[in-house]
Amino acid sequence: MIKEPKRNDPCWCGSGVKFKKCHRARDVQPKENAWDAVDANRKAFSVKKCCAHDVGLGACQGSVIKAHTVSKGPNLSKIAKNGHVMQYVASIPEMKKNGGKLIAKKLGINDASIFHGFCGGHDRDLFSCIENEEFSGRPDQCLAVAYRTMSRELYGKDASAHLRETLRGADKGLTAFDQFIIQNMLDGFNEGNEAARREFKHTHDALTSALVAKRFEDISSIIFEFDAPLPFMFAGAWSPFTDIHGRELQKGHPDELLEQIFVSSFAGKSSAMICISWRSVENAPGQIIAGQLKELPDSRLASICLQFAMKHIENVFFNPDWFQYLDRKHKEHLNKLAADTIYELGGVPSVSLKMELDFQLPPSARSFEVHPRHSNVVEASPVQSP
Ligand SMILES: [Zn+2]
Ligand SMILES: [Zn+2]
């Protein structure tokens, strides 16, 4: 199948190392524990660096802290039971332990949704408008949320950049065919990750400069309001290839920078909000998706938003009581959607949203769009939902 290169030729796998020092006799080399390597890579996710360092947002203050991407006090604590929430942990070692299945795990809210991506000073100053004030869909709040979410996603892609090299030896002791499959899959993963990294960096830069200049109009949003609490919380961003019906939105050519959608949810005293944002550019995929969500029956909205978030982001947390009492059909669908986020490997996730599946969530009561105008006017324009 693969013509064996000469001993001193560069290896076929692209490592840049001579064949004799890389894949020659790989099939009889002792197996490496690839999962240890993946774990090591996950630790790279806890590398401490402030995303707002030296970008015009003032000097860093204090050391880099555990920053929450879903606010702990205002939000996570409201869905917690005895200080715990549930989350699907998309890790291969975890799946190995569970016989190939991805299952939700309990975790303490102090450790939920954290990343080491901001110094104490920036975390306090940039996000005070969402940490210390109730979320009301104000344009400055929408921008702060989008910026924090994008920072976390970019941080994750940066951490995954090492995975290709980390796993280059994962095929030791396997047949030539399996070596080829694995190296190919890793190349695919790496290509997807590098493309996402470029896109996310581009958007992160754009959001940073919007924050510096207080240009809240760079982000547009739609807010869905609920008159009862929701049993889940999420915050995340991704580049949508498809809309909520699975139809194509953007292609992802190697030279094209994709646009992202930002989703996050908030808890009030006895209410909730879901905020969907996008960069204010023409034909933004986020805007198209927001329009589709607005067309949904009020009773279906929360259920579809939950499935949509589950399918694309890791940062989804559940009230343990609610999650525990889900029946098998609903839980299995969530399991599948959660697994989709890690099978992506550069491709397009494939599980569809089930419009008919009823998670018995409160209906959306109202919605309003946030299209801030120039000259830093902070205002929201209420639009009644149909
Ligand atoms: Zn090689
Ligand atoms: Zn800082």
Side-chain angles (χ1 to χ4, degrees):
M1 182 190 59
I2 309 155
K3 202 172 147 274
E4 204 164 272
K6 296 207 180 74
R7 289 172 52 85
N8 286 319
D9 284 353
C11 189
W12 58 265
C13 78
S15 62
V17 178
K18 286 177 183 170
F19 176 63
K20 66 177 179 188
K21 293 211 162 157
C22 192
H23 269 83
R24 191 184 158 269
R26 168 94 14 146
D27 55 333
V28 293
Q29 289 168 2
K31 282 190 184 175
E32 268 182 12
N33 190 348
W35 314 122
D36 290 348
V38 174
D39 257 356
N41 200 72
R42 275 191 98 75
K43 292 213 178 77
F45 197 67
S46 45
V47 167
K48 296 179 174 162
K49 61 171 181 190
C50 179
C51 296
H53 178 70
D54 218 7
V55 291
L57 289 167
C60 286
Q61 272 175 40
S63 51
V64 170
I65 56 158
K66 286 203 282 192
H68 284 264
T69 40
V70 174
S71 315
K72 186 177 87 172
N75 291 302
L76 280 176
S77 64
K78 299 231 172 59
I79 60 161
K81 194 189 174 193
N82 303 327
H84 286 77
V85 290
M86 308 278 294
Q87 183 192 19
Y88 284 93
V89 181
S91 91
I92 297 171
E94 201 57 51
M95 286 181 75
K96 227 185 150 216
K97 237 176 18 197
N98 301 315
K101 268 196 359 206
L102 192 57
I103 57 164
K105 271 179 50 167
K106 225 178 218 186
L107 79 166
I109 55 172
N110 284 332
D111 296 317
S113 169
I114 53 155
F115 77 123
H116 295 97
F118 286 105
C119 68
H122 277 126
D123 191 61
R124 186 190 59 228
D125 296 345
L126 296 174
F127 309 119
S128 162
C129 65
I130 37 180
E131 289 290 331
N132 301 320
E133 294 176 68
E134 194 162 318
F135 185 81
S136 61
R138 257 181 12 229
D140 60 322
Q141 292 180 316
C142 293
L143 180 59
V145 170
Y147 173 73
R148 184 161 73 178
T149 306
M150 204 66 231
S151 300
R152 192 261 177 202
E153 302 290 356
L154 176 61
Y155 189 93
K157 297 293 174 198
D158 282 348
S160 293
H162 312 285
L163 201 58
R164 177 71 188 92
E165 284 319 308
T166 309
L167 286 176
R168 200 170 281 284
D171 57 356
K172 285 185 181 166
L174 300 182
T175 64
F177 181 73
D178 286 340
Q179 292 169 26
F180 181 73
I181 297 288
I182 286 178
Q183 297 298 334
N184 230 339
M185 190 190 83
L186 289 171
D187 281 341
F189 166 80
N190 196 51
E191 243 168 65
N193 194 67
E194 286 302 309
R197 225 174 141 198
R198 276 194 304 276
E199 286 149 27
F200 286 14
K201 176 78 171 72
H202 178 253
T203 301
H204 190 261
D205 288 348
L207 295 184
T208 302
S209 68
L211 260 190
V212 170
K214 297 197 189 313
R215 271 195 327 267
F216 305 126
E217 68 271 17
D218 286 10
I219 284 282
S220 302
S221 310
I222 186 164
I223 320 279
F224 296 100
E225 292 185 83
F226 300 82
D227 288 338
L230 294 171
F232 56 80
M233 278 286 146
F234 52 66
W238 71 95
S239 307
F241 288 103
T242 52
D243 64 14
I244 65 168
H245 306 294
R247 286 185 300 243
E248 186 177 88
L249 282 173
Q250 46 186 357
K251 281 204 188 299
H253 291 304
D255 55 345
E256 183 189 10
L257 285 170
L258 298 180
E259 287 294 326
Q260 287 77 44
I261 184 170
F262 307 87
V263 301
S264 48
S265 66
F266 303 89
K269 279 187 190 69
S270 59
S271 61
M273 287 192 189
I274 291 177
C275 173
I276 313 278
S277 305
W278 57 91
R279 282 213 306 141
S280 308
V281 296
E282 221 173 311
N283 292 324
Q287 183 172 21
I288 296 169
I289 289 168
Q292 293 175 335
L293 292 172
K294 217 176 131 190
E295 292 302 310
L296 291 173
D298 297 339
S299 61
R300 282 283 172 270
L301 185 83
S303 162
I304 295 298
C305 284
L306 170 61
Q307 294 181 51
F308 202 37
M310 281 294 301
K311 186 175 156 71
H312 295 283
I313 60 179
E314 212 180 306
N315 227 5
V316 184
F317 303 92
F318 297 98
N319 176 323
D321 278 341
W322 180 84
F323 191 84
Q324 198 177 337
Y325 290 112
L326 278 177
D327 65 21
R328 229 182 90 198
K329 188 170 78 175
H330 290 81
K331 216 176 248 178
E332 271 179 8
H333 185 56
L334 291 183
N335 291 350
K336 277 189 204 153
L337 289 168
D340 233 14
T341 56
I342 63 165
Y343 289 136
E344 261 185 309
L345 294 178
V348 179
S350 58
V351 180
S352 338
L353 311 186
K354 288 194 171 158
M355 294 288 162
E356 72 290 353
L357 212 53
D358 187 357
F359 282 88
Q360 311 257 317
L361 296 167
S364 90
R366 289 166 298 282
S367 71
F368 60 92
E369 292 178 27
V370 188
H371 299 292
R373 307 210 176 89
H374 289 274
S375 74
N376 304 342
V377 182
V378 177
E379 61 170 351
S381 50
V383 175
Q384 286 299 313
S385 70

